[in-house]
Amino acid sequence: MTHETAYCALHRVVHRAGSSRHDRKRADRIEEQALLAICSYPATSRSDRRAKAKYLLTVEARGELDLEEHMQAILHSMMPA
């Protein structure tokens, strides 16, 4: 599942009438895992790095790169294996 798909699903659950706290927490966890996967992705080509940076700047503009884990994952993804 892509992060954008998970992000949209999270908002559907949050705004759905009758959604439970459990439903919202589960959707939030799935969205967070998808975003962390993108942050962790070791972009190796110039085009991959550009696409990753462009996407993460868009996400950051929405105020979503707010966890320490995001920055750690991004920094670790930049280190050679």
Side-chain angles (χ1 to χ4, degrees):
M1 176 181 295
T2 67
H3 172 251
E4 199 62 38
T5 302
Y7 182 76
C8 290
L10 170 64
H11 283 275
R12 278 194 304 274
V13 169
V14 167
H15 297 344
R16 183 180 68 210
S19 68
S20 69
R21 181 180 177 139
H22 173 75
D23 292 339
R24 291 187 296 275
K25 286 182 82 169
R26 182 173 181 275
D28 184 53
R29 193 170 41 254
I30 291 168
E31 184 269 339
E32 185 61 42
Q33 289 170 345
L35 180 55
L36 202 50
I38 291 170
C39 291
S40 300
Y41 176 74
T44 55
S45 72
R46 183 179 176 111
S47 63
D48 279 353
R49 287 189 298 273
R50 183 173 171 80
K52 178 178 176 176
K54 186 176 178 181
Y55 185 78
L56 290 176
L57 284 169
T58 301
V59 170
E60 193 278 330
R62 294 191 305 233
E64 290 184 52
L65 288 178
D66 56 352
L67 298 179
E68 184 178 316
E69 293 90 341
H70 294 142
M71 191 53 64
Q72 288 176 359
I74 292 167
L75 292 172
H76 282 288
S77 76
M78 295 167 55
M79 296 176 67

